[in-house]
Amino acid sequence: MITTDQLLSFPLSTPLLVAITVAIIAALYILIYFLSITRRVTRQCNQDANAMEDGEVERIDPAAFPSLSVIVYVERNHQDLVEMLPMVLEQDYPAPMEVIVVNDGSRSELEGVLGDLELRYRNLYVTYTPPNSRNLSRKKLSLTIGVKAARYDTLLVTNASVRPSSPLWLRAMTAPLTAGAEIVIGHSILAPTPDSDDCNHLSRAASFDIGMQTIGSLSQAIGSIPYRADGNNLVYRKDVFTANRGFSTHHNFKYGDDDIFINQVARQGRRVAVQLAPEAVVRVISNNLGFSHRFDKIRYMFTGSHIFTPARYMAGMASLCWWCWLAASISALTIGFPSLTVLAAVTAISLSLCIPVMMAYRRTSTALFYRRLTLSVPFLMLWYPLYNMYYRIAGRKVRSNNLTWTAGTYTTNQ
């Protein structure tokens, strides 16, 4: 028989005090870490949006904007160029601008798609990646060809699946260069094609993964220590590329043209800016969002393992703390049963953790145009380490897909 004294008592025992203390410490670490990274990104989004709304970017002297070469990588998605190229070539950009399409696919298909675009736009140029190149990343080779073909010293790298959100995209992305930045990291959103069926959507877990990865990487980039960038929306000076000898230190990786490259050049003291204004955001269209996410996830899991950054360990510690909080809370409830005082204490700690995290994720995901997932966030936080573990195992099974081959073998030297 449970008595009133048992329900209202708080049994002072070492195991209970340890469990409560662990729950509090874990919750505090999560709050400090998560609120700091989300606040930093949300603040940057708001600042950039206000700058565009107030006309600060449009008031910049047109002569201050650099001449710009937009490098568009295209592999198999040639039809995307029909919609994409006019949206880029007709941008409201005050300085000389050219668009260089680097074709890594069928030459005949590209020529059939471009049609009269080359005649309509005198600043559109097309170049091709040699079809028989081996033992070298095709995409990195294509981008290198594009950089060498560029007439101007400022480069914006993107691909044919990108759709600008505004005619001020290029102006917004290059505005930080007028203040002395050498690298501008932009933001992109994975979006379905207009004719996609209703089944073409991301799961909650995939949406949360994209949100967490973006928030973590943007937070570090805003702090001038980037370890990852968005290869669909990235600006840098040509001398940044040449001084790093391009992608030579990781040429045997098929990918890494955004994260490994940016991590390397940032360590050289290059001035990095982040542009998150709505006008600077681009959509990356896909007719299979789930496949696109899995492809990017495995790719980044592989290249990310070759990047050293304290941010990865801090994020890992936060994931561990979620499980420590859960285990400590369950232990405290078990040890203190049937005390309602213990239940109240554990509930207070849990609410003090979950509510601020849910609200912070909601604000930041809204600012980044991502799915909010408000009530699901605590559960997804607990699930997240298992989600990453699954992709880490899956990535090992297809490890060779991320490497170029040499004499039937692959190497991982950097």
Side-chain angles (χ1 to χ4, degrees), residues 238-268:
K238 186 182 286 190
D239 70 291
V240 171
F241 184 86
T242 55
N244 195 61
R245 294 182 297 147
F247 310 117
S248 62
T249 60
H250 48 99
H251 64 85
N252 55 317
F253 295 171
K254 287 186 179 179
Y255 310 104
D257 50 278
D258 43 15
D259 51 357
I260 295 178
F261 173 73
I262 287 298
N263 183 252
Q264 288 179 341
V265 298
R267 292 204 308 266
Q268 298 167 6

Side-chain angles (χ1 to χ4, degrees), residues 191-204:
T193 54
D195 57 349
S196 295
D197 56 42
D198 294 336
C199 297
N200 189 21
H201 64 272
L202 290 170
S203 66
R204 285 180 175 271

Side-chain angles (χ1 to χ4, degrees), residues 226-300:
Y227 64 90
R228 178 175 166 180
D230 193 329
N232 299 306
N233 197 9
L234 179 61
V235 174
Y236 48 82
R237 303 282 192 187
K238 186 182 286 190
D239 70 291
V240 171
F241 184 86
T242 55
N244 195 61
R245 294 182 297 147
F247 310 117
S248 62
T249 60
H250 48 99
H251 64 85
N252 55 317
F253 295 171
K254 287 186 179 179
Y255 310 104
D257 50 278
D258 43 15
D259 51 357
I260 295 178
F261 173 73
I262 287 298
N263 183 252
Q264 288 179 341
V265 298
R267 292 204 308 266
Q268 298 167 6
R270 298 290 185 172
R271 287 167 290 182
V272 180
V274 176
Q275 176 56 273
L276 299 178
E279 291 80 359
V281 177
V282 298
R283 292 175 296 116
V284 182
I285 62 169
S286 170
N287 56 13
N288 190 330
L289 297 181
F291 175 82
S292 297
H293 168 66
R294 288 192 294 273
F295 178 84
D296 287 339
K297 178 69 173 178
I298 291 176
R299 173 169 69 97
Y300 277 122

Side-chain angles (χ1 to χ4, degrees), residues 6 62 190 224-225 323 336 367:
Q6 288 176 313
L190 191 60
S224 299
I225 46 175
W323 282 95

Side-chain angles (χ1 to χ4, degrees), residues 243-377:
N244 195 61
R245 294 182 297 147
F247 310 117
S248 62
T249 60
H250 48 99
H251 64 85
N252 55 317
F253 295 171
K254 287 186 179 179
Y255 310 104
D257 50 278
D258 43 15
D259 51 357
I260 295 178
F261 173 73
I262 287 298
N263 183 252
Q264 288 179 341
V265 298
R267 292 204 308 266
Q268 298 167 6
R270 298 290 185 172
R271 287 167 290 182
V272 180
V274 176
Q275 176 56 273
L276 299 178
E279 291 80 359
V281 177
V282 298
R283 292 175 296 116
V284 182
I285 62 169
S286 170
N287 56 13
N288 190 330
L289 297 181
F291 175 82
S292 297
H293 168 66
R294 288 192 294 273
F295 178 84
D296 287 339
K297 178 69 173 178
I298 291 176
R299 173 169 69 97
Y300 277 122
M301 290 289 282
F302 175 81
T303 54
S305 64
H306 297 271
I307 295 173
F308 172 77
T309 171
R312 293 169 62 90
Y313 299 100
M314 293 171 65
M317 180 61 71
S319 292
L320 176 62
C321 282
W322 275 99
W323 282 95
C324 290
W325 160 77
L326 179 64
S329 298
I330 294 174
S331 299
L333 292 174
T334 303
I335 296 169
F337 182 83
S339 171
L340 294 181
T341 306
V342 174
L343 175 61
V346 171
T347 302
I349 296 170
S350 301
L351 293 177
S352 299
L353 167 64
C354 293
I355 291 176
V357 167
M358 289 189 296
M359 293 301 99
Y361 188 87
R362 179 186 175 89
R363 284 192 298 270
T364 308
S365 60
T366 300
L368 293 173
F369 306 100
Y370 284 153
R371 192 173 175 181
R372 293 175 178 177
L373 304 170
T374 307
L375 296 177
S376 305
V377 170

Side-chain angles (χ1 to χ4, degrees), residues 2-11 336-343:
I2 300 175
T3 65
T4 303
D5 289 341
Q6 288 176 313
L7 290 175
L8 300 179
S9 66
F10 189 89
F337 182 83
S339 171
L340 294 181
T341 306
V342 174
L343 175 61

Side-chain angles (χ1 to χ4, degrees), residues 77-195:
N77 50 337
H78 297 95
Q79 288 294 333
D80 287 340
L81 289 170
V82 177
E83 180 181 356
M84 185 263 194
L85 286 177
M87 298 175 73
V88 178
L89 288 159
E90 295 173 10
Q91 284 280 304
D92 178 10
Y93 192 69
M97 182 266 289
E98 66 176 355
V99 175
I100 301 172
V101 175
V102 187
N103 181 37
D104 190 22
S106 168
R107 184 172 188 139
S108 59
E109 284 186 25
L110 180 64
E111 291 174 347
V113 165
L114 289 181
D116 64 344
L117 285 176
E118 288 184 276
L119 298 177
R120 287 171 53 195
Y121 300 103
R122 298 297 182 182
N123 56 338
L124 172 62
Y125 306 94
V126 181
T127 186
Y128 299 87
T129 305
N132 298 319
S133 300
R134 301 190 180 190
N135 305 326
L136 183 66
S137 164
R138 298 284 303 174
K139 183 175 183 182
K140 290 176 183 174
L141 176 59
S142 299
L143 293 179
T144 301
I145 290 173
V147 172
K148 291 184 176 180
R151 291 191 296 169
Y152 304 129
D153 292 331
T154 301
L155 315 171
L156 186 148
V157 179
T158 186
N159 73 74
S161 298
V162 159
R163 300 293 181 270
S165 302
S166 163
L168 298 176
W169 171 47
L170 298 182
R171 188 188 288 253
M173 284 298 297
T174 54
L177 298 177
T178 65
E182 297 172 281
I183 301 167
V184 184
I185 295 175
H187 176 47
S188 69
I189 306 167
L190 191 60
T193 54
D195 57 349

